Amino acid sequence: MGQCGITSSKTVLVFLNLIFWAAAGVLCYVGAYVFITYDDYDHFFEDVYTLIPAVVIIAVGALLFIIGLIGCCATVRESYCGLTTFVVILVLVFMTEVAVVVLGYVYRAKVENEVNTSIKKVYDEYNGTNSNAQSRAIDYVQRQLQCCGIHNYSDWQYTHWYEESKNNSVPISCCKTNIGGCTGSLTRPEDLYQEGCEALVVKKLKEIMMYVIWTALTFAAIQVLGMLCACVVLCRRSRGPNYELLITGGTYA
């Protein structure tokens, strides 16, 4: 029965190592997704340290490729040194993922203050030209999130762009996609997105941070199972042949 338990642990461990390879790809994808999204929304918050969880999770993903290789070889050969190395690295990665979760929650709480501080400045620097980074960012966000202004479309009346244009309109990016011939005129507010962008940007960034947190938690749980299975195999190796004979009911020749 003991031998069956050891064999089962080895089988589960090999399977988990295959999952680690898949997990490495997922973690790298999530980290890259955060970077890409940050590039789209970076004008709305100035704290670049928000990217730390993404950097760490990409590094963990790369490390999981190596862990999977070490784990498979060490499990098949029942190498004490290899399995010990495997467990130590898993413990370190597990601690790193716990740190990612903590950092994720910390920066998730800071997102709202960051956006609230930066968004008005970005709208004030809007000039409607494609060469202006702030203009591109605002037009992208308003189209992507289907919003207009900071709190609603009327906020545009207090921007430098509105005062200079003097055409009683908002940017075309405020127009609803299903409305043809929309010019952004404030005389037809029903053609414009009604919701402001501030709350939606905060919501989007918090959702992204939650992806990082849940991804790290999920794979941390899988790694705990991997550590337990590796420890079972290690215990069998460390107790030697006498223990194997005892659990199988055998005798020496």
Side-chain angles (χ1 to χ4, degrees), residues 30-41 45 50-51 53-54 57 104 108 111 201-215:
V30 171
Y33 175 70
V34 173
F35 269 101
I36 292 170
T37 306
Y38 175 86
D39 189 52
D40 293 331
Y41 294 89
F45 56 99
T50 307
L51 286 176
I57 210 169
R108 187 174 182 271
V111 161
V201 169
V202 170
K203 180 182 177 182
K204 180 70 174 179
L205 294 174
K206 284 187 173 182
E207 284 177 354
I208 292 167
M209 204 56 70
M210 282 306 298
Y211 293 153
V212 173
I213 291 170
W214 280 111
T215 302

Side-chain angles (χ1 to χ4, degrees), residues 62-202:
L63 190 57
L64 278 179
F65 278 113
I66 301 172
I67 291 174
L69 182 61
I70 294 173
C72 278
C73 294
T75 303
V76 171
R77 296 182 180 183
E78 291 189 25
S79 166
Y80 183 84
C81 181
L83 284 171
T84 303
T85 303
F86 175 72
V87 171
V88 170
I89 296 176
L90 272 186
V91 170
L92 293 176
V93 171
F94 176 79
M95 293 170 63
T96 303
E97 287 179 334
V98 170
V100 167
V101 171
V102 173
L103 287 172
Y105 272 109
V106 169
Y107 289 118
R108 187 174 182 271
K110 293 176 63 177
V111 161
E112 189 166 357
N113 289 333
E114 283 285 329
V115 173
N116 291 346
T117 302
S118 304
I119 195 167
K120 190 177 187 308
K121 178 183 176 183
V122 177
Y123 270 82
D124 282 339
E125 294 177 358
Y126 183 92
N127 65 15
T129 63
N130 197 48
S131 60
N132 180 261
Q134 287 79 5
S135 299
R136 292 197 305 272
I138 289 173
D139 286 333
Y140 172 83
V141 167
Q142 291 190 153
R143 290 192 181 100
Q144 190 76 10
L145 302 183
Q146 299 186 347
C147 57
C148 184
I150 299 174
H151 303 103
N152 56 57
Y153 62 84
S154 65
D155 292 327
W156 278 104
Q157 297 176 79
Y158 308 103
T159 63
H160 298 310
W161 175 82
Y162 181 86
E163 293 171 358
E164 292 174 2
S165 62
K166 298 178 181 177
N167 58 6
N168 195 37
S169 66
V170 297
I172 301 297
S173 56
C174 281
C175 293
K176 295 177 180 177
T177 54
N178 61 339
I179 302 294
C182 175
T183 61
S185 174
L186 288 174
T187 59
R188 293 183 58 84
E190 65 275 8
D191 293 350
L192 310 174
Y193 294 125
Q194 303 299 304
E195 195 168 357
C197 293
E198 183 180 50
L200 293 179
V201 169
V202 170

